[in-house]
Amino acid sequence: MDHVDIIPMQLSHLDGVLNLGYRAYDVDAMPYTSWSLSTVAVHWDAQPEACWVAVDDEGLLGFVLGSLSYDEREDWGYLEWIALDERARGKGVASVLVQRCCDALFAAGASRIITDVESSNQASAAMMRRNGFAEGVTVTLFVRPDPDKSAPAATHPPRDPARARLRRAARATSTR
Ligand SMILES: CC(C)(COP(=O)(O)OP(=O)(O)OC[C@H]1O[C@@H](n2cnc3c(N)ncnc32)[C@H](O)[C@@H]1OP(=O)(O)O)[C@@H](O)C(=O)NCCC(=O)NCCS
């Protein structure tokens, strides 16, 4: 990995961010099912100063997308999406992205910043703790499947063919 720059997200990063998200998240499972082009665009449109990317000479290494507000609270920031390409993990890049996003959200008026971490995502939990986040309320999704349908759980909703195509394309794409 070459020298890494952490820079504000631009329109030209949209495609790379979307594809990196498709590679990093299991968008068939909670809490990643809402990952989409509109999710990225809405964040960048609403709070561009809280959206940052990490790049090196080879291309996009990671991103963070934040926003005001969380759960109707105008004074709560939401650090909702962060992901790094495999080659950038474990090197402190995530912490710099978190810091830039949090700085922007505090500057925009947030009195606190919320992030949610899926319970088995130990890498994300450890990284968030190291960056000043502490566990608040724990919410567990209880799932009741329709007994008349064979699909086992809402954590794996029916596949959207368009998204499946995008995900396959993203996996086949190297970083830009
Ligand atoms: C979450 C993510 C951005 C963190 O970036 P990172 O570079 O891996 O973070 P760091 O290496 O700085 O910190 C990860 C910590 O978890 C540890 N860790 C990594 N993988 C782990 C695993 N499978 N189990 C337990 N701990 C793990 C690391 O050793 C490190 O611990 P430390 O703080 O004691 O050094 C990155 O892992 C990622 O992109 N994951 C996929 C997308 C994702 O899950 N995003 C978060 C939800 S939106």
Side-chain angles (χ1 to χ4, degrees):
M1 206 170 70
D2 306 317
H3 173 76
V4 178
D5 283 319
I6 310 291
I7 57 174
M9 184 179 156
Q10 304 291 326
L11 188 58
S12 57
H13 297 126
L14 216 65
D15 184 33
V17 166
L18 180 67
N19 283 333
L20 176 49
Y22 274 121
R23 291 199 302 276
Y25 306 133
D26 177 359
V27 297
D28 285 331
M30 290 291 286
Y32 306 114
T33 49
S34 63
W35 182 251
S36 68
L37 176 59
S38 44
T39 292
V40 182
V42 163
H43 274 80
W44 186 67
D45 206 21
Q47 212 86 46
E49 72 274 23
C51 301
W52 292 80
V53 295
V55 293
D56 71 357
D57 287 349
E58 288 177 44
L60 188 80
L61 290 172
F63 64 82
V64 64
L65 307 178
S67 61
L68 282 178
S69 54
Y70 181 82
D71 205 19
E72 309 294 320
R73 287 288 306 248
E74 293 297 327
D75 61 332
W76 289 9
Y78 190 16
L79 194 163
E80 191 172 358
W81 300 99
I82 183 165
L84 293 183
D85 189 77
E86 297 269 4
R87 72 191 168 95
R89 293 185 193 172
K91 298 182 168 120
V93 176
S95 294
V96 185
L97 287 168
V98 167
Q99 198 55 51
R100 294 288 164 84
C101 180
C102 289
D103 287 349
L105 292 173
F106 285 134
S111 62
R112 64 178 59 186
I113 296 167
I114 312 293
T115 193
D116 35 26
V117 176
E118 194 266 324
S119 55
S120 70
N121 196 341
Q122 295 179 40
S124 185
M127 187 274 293
M128 290 301 178
R129 279 193 203 98
R130 198 158 10 81
N131 283 287
F133 287 83
E135 275 97 331
V137 177
T138 299
V139 176
T140 303
L141 297 182
F142 283 66
V143 179
R144 179 179 169 176
D146 182 343
D148 295 333
K149 299 210 175 102
S150 52
T155 49
H156 283 89
R159 282 171 185 260
D160 172 343
R163 279 200 191 188
R165 265 197 309 280
L166 276 171
R167 196 170 52 247
R168 275 197 302 277
R171 284 201 187 112
T173 312
S174 57
T175 54
R176 300 162 200 208

